[in-house]
Amino acid sequence: MKTHPATQEVAEARLEENQLLKLVDQLPKGCQTIFKLYVIEGYPHKDIAKALEISVGTSKSQLNVAKSKLKAMIHLFYYQNEKKNEQAELLLRSYPISSWKPGATSL
């Protein structure tokens, strides 16, 4: 069964788990710690606040900051992939397949 081109593009542009974790690692330490504890480890804000000796409000605030920063980084990730796809399409239009010669090593 052949995959629809649009479905394939979405699959290729999806953020892999390891890529998302790399983005999480780029967060400021406070946001990163709370994001990992809350989202990945599943601790409630009350336990996080107690363990880190911060208020529950600070824990929630840091989580919101982390989410906002991650959202921006994810948008940038997709924007960069979109730009790469546009550049590839422009290159392919510049050198149509009909102009390719058998055995040619470069365009």
Side-chain angles (χ1 to χ4, degrees):
M1 183 172 140
K2 193 170 184 173
T3 306
H4 188 275
T7 305
Q8 185 176 354
E9 286 176 23
V10 169
E12 289 172 0
R14 282 186 46 205
L15 198 59
E16 301 279 332
E17 180 181 350
N18 63 338
Q19 293 169 316
L20 180 58
L21 291 174
K22 285 179 184 177
L23 292 178
V24 170
D25 288 340
Q26 293 177 26
L27 291 170
K29 283 293 176 197
C31 296
Q32 181 186 134
T33 300
I34 290 173
F35 184 88
K36 286 180 177 180
L37 289 171
Y38 187 83
V39 175
I40 298 172
E41 300 293 329
Y43 288 101
H45 286 291
K46 183 179 176 182
D47 292 349
I48 295 169
K50 186 176 180 180
L52 299 178
E53 299 178 351
I54 59 174
S55 71
V56 171
T58 298
S59 179
K60 289 179 179 182
S61 174
Q62 288 293 303
L63 179 63
N64 284 330
V65 170
K67 287 179 180 180
S68 294
K69 288 183 180 291
L70 277 173
K71 185 177 180 179
M73 288 190 272
I74 290 168
H75 281 289
L76 181 60
F77 171 84
Y78 283 112
Y79 174 77
Q80 287 174 338
N81 280 340
E82 183 179 299
K83 286 295 178 192
K84 287 178 189 174
N85 288 338
E86 288 174 10
Q87 290 171 349
E89 287 176 22
L90 286 173
L91 181 62
L92 287 174
R93 279 191 223 130
S94 299
Y95 298 98
I97 293 175
S98 61
S99 68
W100 293 2
K101 296 181 181 157
T105 56
S106 64
L107 299 174

